[in-house]
Amino acid sequence: MEFKSLKFPKEFIFGASTAAYQIEGGAYEDGKGLSIWDTFCKQPGRILNGDTGDEACDFYHRYKDDIKIMKEMGLDSFRFSISWPRVFPEGTGKVNQKGLDFYNSLVDELRAASIEPYLTLNHWDMPQSLQDQGGWLNKDTAKHFADYSRFMCENLSDRVKFWTTHNEPHCVASAGHVAGIFAPGHKDIKEGLQVTHNLNLAHGLAVQAMRQSGSAGNKYGIVLAVFPYYPATASIHDHRAAQRWDGYFSRCFLDPIFKGSYPEDMVEYFGDKFPEVTEQELSVISEPIDMLGINCYFRRIIENDPKNAFIGGREFKPRDAAYTQMDWPIYPECLFEVLSMLDKDYDIPELYIIENGAAFHDEVSPDGKVHDARRTRYLHAHIEQAKRAVEQGINLKGYFVWSFLDNFEWALGYSRRFGIVYVDYPTQKRIVKDSGKWYSELLRYNQSLR
Ligand SMILES: N#[N+]C[C@@H]1[C@@H](O)[C@H](O)[C@@H](O)[C@@H]2O[C@H]12
């Protein structure tokens, strides 16, 4: 059987990941407040084809049927995020009971299907009312995030054991505040660096708040995008550029969280643009966590580029590589290399791959099926690398595919399909793709060995 090389330890979990704004829809329903992505999508030119998350996959109404698909697939776990403004329309203060009711029902349905909920509190859809007060640039938002996290933990932690604070905070800081391609669409390097620090602070405050209020046995962590970085050539300039990218996008989160300090080379490189940081804040940020979630899709090859005023480099795209529809080079070893680096350089109790997957152009064939062989090959090759890490003794405890459903791909709208389940958006019909059927067989094989 093809799965013999993909036999994992009995306690290893397989899941699928999503995010609130990308799948829920119901953007203006039942008392939900505006998020910065609701606002951003309405700004002309921001999103390809003028797409929005107004309806998305209509998961807000269809979650019970989707959980039936998850159960039929055999998912051990489902990773989702909470829409902060659905529960706190203004970000703080009055609770929207219907919003809380939705997440209570979602968790109950998952548990009834024997699917472990794996929760993320901030997957980018910040309440607009807090953005109007400065958003992540305002340190008060860190305190509001901790209060929101505590509240969610008080209400769900009897049934939810896995809690992660942010998803890919580097995206919020760089894409949202330096490049300006994500909400809130700002373009200011110094602001982006301050947001990096404030997100780290919010993470630490939230972990402390949840630990005070959550149930015993909860596991708290964060989800970071971590890539292997390679210089495009042997030149010292490319080596330094690759080191800067690794420093900003990975180590400016990993180091304060796990080592209690920012990387010195980054503090030096950014100079007076780097934020003021206190020892007390670093102590909060480095509040011990129980697990680290990793999003890793590919490796990044960097060449020096002085014209890049932010970080002095650009991505190099080798011609001999195969690419996904995101123009990401396919390099399955990225998972093993990232996990090996983390295992060597940091003291991390548990590791989970929370996002790994691929966008390819998918079509429904005349037989009514979606024959996405490239995605199946991508998943097989990357899961083999996860297995390789486990065999090397790395404490990898789970793998989650991105994504359960085709969904709203941020600035690219619905033009990219990552799902193992196809979504026909006009009808909201779901079709389990061939990759989803393969993933289900893999899960069933491993479950049969437990
Ligand atoms: N792009 N892309 C796919 C995927 C995105 O859809 C997720 O929301 C992010 O957490 C992460 O960037 C990865």
Side-chain angles (χ1 to χ4, degrees):
M1 177 184 289
E2 72 167 307
F3 295 122
K4 271 192 174 176
S5 67
L6 297 179
K7 180 181 171 185
F8 282 78
K10 291 179 181 176
E11 70 281 357
F12 191 91
I13 60 172
F14 286 96
S17 282
T18 62
Y21 191 77
Q22 297 181 267
I23 66 167
E24 284 184 2
Y28 303 93
E29 277 192 54
D30 291 343
K32 172 183 166 291
L34 281 181
S35 78
I36 57 175
W37 275 91
D38 293 317
T39 307
F40 193 68
C41 288
K42 295 300 189 285
Q43 296 171 13
R46 293 292 200 182
I47 311 297
L48 188 64
N49 303 323
D51 290 340
T52 75
D54 288 358
E55 183 179 351
C57 306
D58 197 29
F59 183 77
Y60 182 68
H61 298 107
R62 298 170 186 267
Y63 66 98
K64 292 183 180 179
D65 288 339
D66 285 333
I67 290 171
K68 286 177 185 157
I69 297 172
M70 296 177 208
K71 185 170 177 62
E72 285 159 14
M73 267 187 173
L75 291 189
D76 295 315
S77 183
F78 175 64
R79 185 264 187 146
F80 63 97
S81 73
I82 303 285
S83 167
W84 185 352
R86 193 179 292 284
V87 181
F88 287 96
E90 301 304 313
T92 65
K94 187 175 181 313
V95 171
N96 172 33
Q97 188 59 46
K98 284 185 176 178
L100 182 60
D101 292 347
F102 168 66
Y103 292 110
N104 266 308
S105 177
L106 172 58
V107 167
D108 288 343
E109 289 291 325
L110 287 168
R111 298 221 67 92
S114 303
I115 297 171
E116 187 73 42
Y118 197 109
L119 189 153
T120 295
L121 288 152
N122 168 35
H123 203 124
W124 306 352
D125 47 351
M126 142 91 65
Q128 182 60 49
S129 58
L130 293 182
Q131 186 60 45
D132 295 343
Q133 300 164 55
W136 290 115
L137 199 53
N138 180 346
K139 278 188 181 177
D140 289 346
T141 302
K143 300 186 185 85
H144 297 321
F145 180 68
D147 293 342
Y148 149 64
S149 302
R150 177 189 290 109
F151 177 84
M152 294 314 301
C153 213
E154 287 168 346
N155 282 275
L156 297 179
S157 75
D158 58 325
R159 291 153 287 156
V160 177
K161 296 303 168 199
F162 293 97
W163 293 79
T164 53
T165 54
H166 301 306
N167 174 80
E168 296 198 6
H170 84 279
C171 256
V172 176
S174 58
H177 291 82
V178 180
I181 58 173
F182 281 6
H186 295 183
K187 293 187 177 181
D188 181 311
I189 294 173
K190 189 174 174 68
E191 180 181 307
L193 292 166
Q194 184 66 59
V195 164
T196 291
H197 178 57
N198 293 355
L199 283 164
N200 280 327
L201 184 60
H203 159 78
L205 290 171
V207 173
Q208 291 180 338
M210 291 191 285
R211 272 219 172 95
Q212 290 163 7
S213 59
S215 303
N218 278 5
K219 292 185 177 183
Y220 304 106
I222 188 171
V223 179
L224 299 176
V226 187
F227 307 82
Y229 286 88
Y230 285 78
T233 70
S235 85
I236 185 64
H237 302 297
D238 287 355
H239 273 275
R240 285 176 180 159
Q243 189 174 18
R244 285 196 299 272
W245 280 57
D246 180 38
Y248 174 70
F249 291 105
S250 302
R251 292 184 287 116
C252 273
F253 298 93
L254 288 166
D255 283 22
I257 289 170
F258 290 105
K259 297 181 176 179
S261 63
Y262 282 97
E264 285 181 15
D265 59 330
M266 289 288 96
V267 177
E268 186 180 332
Y269 175 75
F270 286 116
D272 61 2
K273 291 191 180 74
F274 207 84
E276 292 295 321
V277 174
T278 68
E279 285 307 314
Q280 190 273 335
E281 288 174 335
L282 287 169
S283 171
V284 170
I285 294 169
S286 57
E287 171 75 16
I289 56 177
D290 308 299
M291 54 156 171
L292 175 65
I294 295 298
N295 294 354
C296 182
Y297 290 85
F298 57 101
R299 66 171 169 172
R300 302 185 95 167
I301 301 171
I302 308 300
E303 58 185 350
N304 189 41
D305 176 9
K307 293 192 296 300
N308 177 333
F310 174 37
I311 200 163
R314 62 169 179 251
E315 286 205 75
F316 173 76
K317 303 283 187 176
R319 280 196 293 273
D320 61 351
Y323 289 82
T324 72
Q325 197 190 16
M326 294 295 287
D327 196 27
W328 295 348
I330 298 174
Y331 181 73
E333 293 79 2
C334 67
L335 289 192
F336 178 75
E337 291 175 11
V338 159
L339 291 164
S340 299
M341 177 277 288
L342 290 165
D343 184 62
K344 178 172 68 67
D345 294 351
Y346 298 93
D347 181 15
I348 302 170
E350 293 185 349
L351 284 160
Y352 291 81
I353 293 166
I354 293 299
E355 292 185 20
N356 174 254
F360 292 112
H361 177 72
D362 293 329
E363 288 182 347
V364 182
S365 297
D367 63 6
K369 297 175 181 175
V370 180
H371 303 300
D372 58 334
R374 285 181 296 177
R375 184 172 291 105
T376 300
R377 285 198 298 272
Y378 178 101
L379 296 179
H380 192 152
H382 286 76
I383 294 169
E384 274 185 343
Q385 292 296 319
K387 170 71 187 295
R388 185 182 163 201
V390 170
E391 286 175 331
Q392 297 266 334
I394 293 170
N395 198 14
L396 179 67
K397 308 296 280 185
Y399 173 94
F400 290 68
V401 62
W402 182 271
S403 179
F404 173 62
L405 296 171
D406 293 335
N407 59 58
F408 177 80
E409 186 45 57
W410 308 112
L412 294 172
Y414 297 99
S415 67
R416 302 302 193 272
R417 293 179 178 272
F418 274 90
I420 54 175
V421 177
Y422 184 93
V423 177
D424 176 57
Y425 294 110
T427 66
Q428 291 292 359
K429 178 182 175 186
R430 274 64 164 154
I431 303 171
V432 178
K433 301 178 188 176
D434 288 357
S435 62
K437 294 169 185 170
W438 176 87
Y439 192 58
S440 176
E441 288 172 32
L442 169 66
L443 276 59
R444 294 299 186 195
Y445 169 70
N446 275 279
Q447 288 160 359
S448 70
L449 303 172
R450 289 176 184 168

